[in-house]
Amino acid sequence: MPARSIGTATISFGLVSVPIHIYSSSESSAGISFNLLHKKCGTRLKQQYICPKDEEVVPRDQMVKGYEFAKDQYAVFTPEEIKALDEKATNTIDILEFVPLDQVDRRYLDKSYYLGPDKGGDRAYRLLGKALEETGRAALGQYAARGRQHLVLLRPLDGVLLMEQLHYAEELKPATEVPLGEGEVKAAELKLAKQLIEQAATDEFHPDRYKDEVRNRVLEAIQKKVEGHEITAEPAQDAGGKIIDLMEALKASLARGADDESDEGDKKRGKKRQAS
């Protein structure tokens, strides 16, 4: 089934304009949520807003929006004033500069979208993608939508352009805020840690190997409940003996990895014998 466009825009770089369609690049699994019910009758409860000062329920037509500029002090805005504050959607992705793709810190990535050519933009779209691919650069620009001006990065991917919405630098917290404590990296421990990494290392990224097992388990349990079965907690899995010594933990991890590889080899050899 062809992808469904969620919007249109125009890429602008120099005097070149490229009309494009915007497509979602992912399909997130719907979160599993539970509703609050009245225990006595099973009716779903409604949310209400209560004014703690007047001790009364406030209907929506009596609600206004305010910005807290000091403790318990608010500047109240009318709907018209809030609308005036919104960034006007320009539907234009203004390219400001071209940066080396390998220099873009992945911490800045927020979300991503596919871009496809709109009517009349096929040649310019392909030209931009090819130029970015051969120069190893990405287009950095800004795009106003939904009341905000977004920082975006355009890069080629599998023949299409991918638009990555980035965080602004002021939105990122510095890594220096993370408390590290004290600790010495010993040469022998580092050697074992590197061996452990190599033992589980792969040369390619294959995210299709992994599934959300927790979500699948919850959905199966919900289905059982719908069918009238009781849900009981599964026995906790034995995580093995607790190892305090770091060197001992590394050695035990390497040994377990070697056992797993041996078991996998036995399974493959067994399959070959069956086939023959």
Side-chain angles (χ1 to χ4, degrees):
M1 180 182 296
R4 179 178 296 180
S5 173
I6 60 174
T8 59
T10 300
I11 301 172
S12 175
F13 66 104
L15 297 178
V16 180
S17 295
V18 187
I20 53 97
H21 281 286
I22 302 174
Y23 304 89
S24 175
S25 68
S26 62
E27 186 175 359
S28 301
S29 299
I32 299 173
S33 60
F34 296 86
N35 296 311
L36 291 175
L37 311 177
H38 188 184
K39 185 177 181 178
K40 182 174 69 174
C41 65
T43 302
R44 182 175 175 177
L45 301 179
K46 292 183 178 180
Q47 187 181 49
Q48 292 181 320
Y49 290 91
I50 299 175
C51 175
K53 179 181 178 181
D54 296 331
E55 296 184 348
E56 64 181 31
V57 176
V58 180
R60 288 195 173 273
D61 61 0
Q62 294 183 27
M63 296 181 187
V64 295
K65 291 185 177 181
Y67 178 82
E68 187 175 23
F69 61 89
K71 180 65 175 177
D72 295 330
Q73 296 185 55
Y74 300 88
V76 178
F77 288 80
T78 67
E80 291 74 19
E81 289 173 327
I82 291 178
K83 186 176 181 179
L85 293 175
D86 284 346
E87 175 68 29
K88 295 295 185 293
T90 61
N91 286 331
T92 301
I93 301 170
D94 291 309
I95 303 304
L96 307 175
E97 58 182 333
F98 296 91
V99 299
L101 182 56
D102 59 6
Q103 293 297 308
V104 180
D105 192 328
R106 303 308 295 166
R107 289 180 302 167
Y108 285 89
L109 178 62
D110 183 16
K111 59 185 69 173
S112 60
Y113 303 89
Y114 291 131
L115 303 182
D118 200 352
K119 186 177 181 180
D122 301 72
R123 289 184 61 232
Y125 175 91
R126 291 177 181 276
L127 176 64
L128 176 59
K130 190 67 174 177
L132 291 175
E133 183 179 352
E134 294 195 359
T135 58
R137 292 183 176 269
L140 187 67
Q142 289 182 304
Y143 173 53
R146 299 182 180 89
R148 282 198 61 191
Q149 187 177 44
H150 300 284
L151 184 66
V152 296
L153 188 80
L154 273 57
R155 64 183 180 93
L157 178 68
D158 297 334
V160 303
L161 287 176
L162 181 72
M163 181 174 74
E164 296 179 336
Q165 186 173 304
L166 306 179
H167 291 289
Y168 285 99
E170 62 193 28
E171 295 175 336
L172 289 184
K173 295 182 177 180
T176 52
E177 291 186 1
V178 179
L180 297 179
E182 299 293 333
E184 177 190 359
V185 177
K186 297 181 179 179
E189 295 171 347
L190 178 59
K191 181 180 179 180
L192 289 180
K194 291 165 69 175
Q195 290 178 9
L196 183 60
I197 290 174
E198 288 302 320
Q199 189 180 70
T202 59
D203 294 328
E204 295 180 350
F205 176 51
H206 292 287
D208 54 302
R209 294 176 179 172
Y210 305 95
K211 306 295 181 184
D212 188 345
E213 302 295 345
V214 172
R215 184 174 188 274
N216 292 338
R217 177 179 58 80
V218 172
L219 287 175
E220 290 177 2
I222 290 175
Q223 183 59 36
K224 289 181 179 179
K225 184 68 175 179
V226 172
E227 294 171 356
H229 302 286
E230 291 296 323
I231 305 300
T232 57
E234 296 181 359
Q237 295 183 351
D238 184 9
K242 187 176 182 181
I243 301 177
I244 307 261
D245 183 78
L246 182 55
M247 195 73 173
E248 185 182 348
L250 290 166
K251 290 179 179 179
S253 299
L254 284 168
R256 185 173 65 179
D259 290 342
D260 291 342
E261 289 180 358
S262 178
D263 292 341
E264 187 65 26
D266 291 342
K267 291 179 181 177
K268 290 181 179 179
R269 285 188 289 273
K271 289 181 180 178
K272 287 182 179 180
R273 286 196 294 269
Q274 291 176 1
S276 61

